[in-house]
Amino acid sequence: MSGLAERDLKHIWHPCSQMKDYEELPPIAIKEGRGVYLYGYDGKEYIDIVSSWWCNLLGHCHPVINAAVKEQLDRLEHVIFANFTHEPAVRLCEELAGIVPRGLSKFNFSDNGSASVECALKMSFQYQHQCGHPERTRFLCLTDGYHGETIGALSVGTMDLYAKIYRPMLMDTVRVEAPDCYRCKYGLERDSCGCECFAAAEETFARHARECCAMIVEPLLQGSAGMRIYPPLYLKKLRALCDGYGVLLIADEIATGFGRTGKMFAFDHAGVSPDIMCVSKGLTGGYLPMAITVATDEIYDAFYADYGEGRAFMHSHTYSGNPLGCAAALAVQKVLREDKILEKAAAVADILNAALRERLGGHPNVGEIRRIGLVNAVELVRDRRTKEPFPASERTGYKIYKRALDFGLLLRPLGDVIYFNPPLTIDPEAAERAVKLCGEAVSHILKG
Ligand SMILES: *Cc1c(COP(=O)(O)O)cnc(C)c1O
């Protein structure tokens, strides 16, 4: 299959890319995948250490998921989900009901992460309206957050390079300064602090919470911000603050769900529950586009009335509850449970982190190596002492990404933060090999 890259570029506009960059680095055509490995048509092997944008939860072409999707395919590919149902959807929700944070019980399907966020925003807006609070029309969010690319999701995300231009199209949201533990304003240590930075949330709530219907957060891990990690205590405090002001709390667990942080959901670390939770990415193991917005009975009940009262949630997506997606998601749950994936991943996570510290911990351009679950991030800085970043124009992370690809490692960075977010099934050998290749790529670009 020669010439795929050239044929691709004649027609395809790739996501999140300056297409001119492809003159120098054309698209890499992948023929097949197995476990943590991807294979190009030329036979070249790549370690997919970013889980193909964080969605590949259990490795590529997992035999159990493959079999489940194939079986479902010969039964039913899709059916309208208004007034109709099917066994895979019912069984999936029964199973998920047993693992989601306490109180979450009603499952509203969509087909991608951004869509599940839009659903959560509309749901909380309408909930407040129907509970006698039509004045609550705004949303609270953290600075530097990421919740997807559609207009509502962009509105509650960071106002960075990628969102700024759309500002006139976006909702006017209320932003709480996010915790930034690496550059802590109070000079405290993550995990031993008392979340002094939470004062910013308290002040913002005091001024604006009464106009707001909900607050949305990426719990514990602000992924797109550069895998920023903050302590569970922050979520605990946020839960109490939201309760005090009658603001709903939306957990965007799209990146953190299904074991990524070492527990099934990031909120589990805090021992509190959100009112609404969005899941996608790992839900189908990265097989099929599916997402769910999960809500409490209390929210669901506020919509439940005679038709004529007009309280229904008139929100829909054509592919809601797609049976193939449900079959994949059911298989994911089976593997997570039967293969004790979270337990095994915890052991590999320690090995990966130790290897990374040994290899890169002393590098003069490594500001911090931080971790949660199997997620490990290396923040590269010009000056380790002052934490001064590299100028963005140098594209340091991008250069390392390109070099790592030569070495057979898919290490797509977030600015100058390079990170590992591998399938939970990665074995210690592959993890250590990825660290070695990453170390070589870093040394090639940054001589120290
Ligand atoms: C990926 C992601 C989204 C968006 O999901 P899409 O399926 O890409 O629309 C939203 N929130 C978080 C935290 C994500 O990581």
Side-chain angles (χ1 to χ4, degrees):
M1 283 307 273
S2 66
L4 268 185
E6 295 80 65
R7 285 160 60 197
D8 170 291
L9 290 174
K10 282 214 177 83
H11 295 290
I12 299 179
W13 194 343
H14 285 269
C16 200
S17 297
Q18 170 47 265
M19 290 308 299
K20 193 163 191 294
D21 282 346
Y22 287 57
E23 287 176 12
E24 240 187 79
L25 181 63
I28 297 161
I30 294 299
K31 184 169 172 221
E32 47 195 28
R34 218 168 312 121
V36 70
Y37 297 100
L38 294 168
Y39 301 93
Y41 286 85
D42 54 3
K44 188 167 167 138
E45 177 184 280
Y46 300 89
I47 303 180
D48 186 1
I49 209 68
V50 299
S51 294
S52 282
W53 264 346
W54 323 347
C55 66
N56 186 274
L57 193 72
L58 301 171
H60 293 280
C61 281
H62 192 289
V64 175
I65 311 174
N66 283 15
V69 175
K70 283 177 190 169
E71 211 207 45
Q72 182 57 40
L73 193 53
D74 281 331
R75 265 178 223 282
L76 177 67
E77 79 302 331
H78 187 64
V79 62
I80 178 173
F81 208 50
N83 224 138
F84 283 76
T85 194
H86 49 82
E87 192 189 347
V90 174
R91 278 183 49 214
L92 177 62
C93 294
E94 285 172 351
E95 290 208 13
L96 293 179
I99 60 162
V100 294
R102 202 161 8 98
L104 295 171
S105 53
K106 291 292 193 283
F107 298 75
N108 190 302
F109 284 88
S110 51
D111 44 30
N112 66 77
S114 307
S116 72
V117 167
E118 301 288 341
C119 175
L121 298 177
K122 285 174 65 182
M123 195 184 270
S124 43
F125 182 96
Q126 188 172 341
Y127 168 82
Q128 296 283 10
H129 194 93
Q130 292 177 177
C131 290
H133 292 290
E135 78 287 0
R136 292 184 180 267
T137 56
R138 301 178 77 192
F139 294 92
L140 286 143
C141 59
L142 290 177
T143 55
D144 306 309
Y146 180 82
H147 301 288
E149 302 288 351
T150 49
I151 300 304
L154 269 187
S155 300
V156 289
T158 174
M159 278 303 111
D160 64 3
L161 190 61
Y162 304 105
K164 229 169 29 203
I165 182 148
Y166 306 109
R167 192 149 213 166
M169 299 170 67
L170 304 181
M171 297 186 289
D172 178 28
T173 45
V174 180
R175 280 154 212 284
V176 171
E177 192 182 347
D180 185 355
C181 301
Y182 173 49
R183 295 186 170 85
C184 177
K185 276 185 167 176
Y186 299 85
L188 300 169
E189 293 290 320
R190 186 191 289 122
D191 295 331
S192 61
C193 73
C195 287
E196 279 69 4
C197 63
F198 194 73
E202 286 165 347
E203 283 160 27
T204 309
F205 268 67
R207 265 184 285 122
H208 293 293
R210 287 176 197 85
E211 327 149 26
C212 295
C213 47
M215 164 113 196
I216 185 166
V217 289
E218 289 165 276
L220 303 190
L221 177 69
Q222 286 195 297
S224 164
M227 297 293 176
R228 281 202 206 162
I229 297 164
Y230 61 88
L233 178 62
Y234 194 94
L235 291 181
K236 243 188 176 138
K237 290 186 173 219
L238 192 58
R239 176 69 276 180
L241 192 62
C242 285
D243 285 344
Y245 282 97
V247 168
L248 295 178
L249 181 54
I250 303 170
D252 177 349
E253 294 251 11
I254 293 165
T256 50
F258 306 107
R260 288 292 188 192
T261 66
K263 292 194 187 273
M264 192 56 84
F265 297 99
F267 257 80
D268 296 341
H269 292 268
V272 292
S273 294
D275 299 294
I276 300 177
M277 182 170 83
C278 302
V279 292
S280 185
K281 293 202 166 98
L283 174 63
T284 66
Y287 270 60
L288 288 147
M290 195 166 89
I292 309 182
T293 305
V294 198
T296 59
D297 280 338
E298 190 187 334
I299 292 173
Y300 177 84
D301 290 343
F303 293 75
Y304 199 87
D306 287 331
Y307 183 81
E309 288 184 40
R311 294 169 80 95
F313 190 43
M314 301 305 280
H315 178 95
S316 66
H317 290 287
T318 308
Y319 287 101
S320 294
N322 177 259
L324 296 171
C326 290
L330 268 170
V332 167
Q333 290 307 311
K334 180 179 155 79
V335 174
L336 283 175
R337 193 176 54 241
E338 290 180 1
D339 293 355
K340 300 196 170 19
I341 297 292
L342 265 60
E343 272 169 53
K344 289 183 194 158
V348 183
D350 289 340
I351 295 169
L352 170 60
N353 183 256
L356 207 51
R357 286 189 182 283
E358 189 186 317
R359 179 80 205 199
L360 282 171
H363 194 287
N365 295 116
V366 169
E368 182 181 55
I369 300 176
R370 48 183 176 262
R371 68 173 288 200
I372 185 165
L374 264 171
V375 176
N376 276 266
V378 180
E379 179 144 354
L380 299 168
V381 290
R382 177 138 86 183
D383 186 329
R384 192 181 172 121
R385 198 179 43 80
T386 62
K387 304 181 179 178
E388 183 199 344
F390 286 106
S393 58
E394 283 184 17
R395 303 185 78 186
T396 307
Y398 184 67
K399 286 179 189 155
I400 292 168
Y401 163 64
K402 289 204 289 185
R403 186 51 51 91
L405 280 175
D406 293 339
F407 296 157
L409 178 67
L410 202 181
L411 188 69
R412 196 181 164 88
L414 295 155
D416 293 338
V417 175
I418 53 179
Y419 66 89
F420 289 48
N421 187 9
L424 302 182
T425 47
I426 190 171
D427 60 41
E429 294 73 43
E432 282 172 342
R433 198 173 131 68
V435 169
K436 179 172 165 283
L437 298 177
C438 169
E440 282 166 15
V442 170
S443 324
H444 268 243
I445 303 301
L446 301 171
K447 309 282 189 277

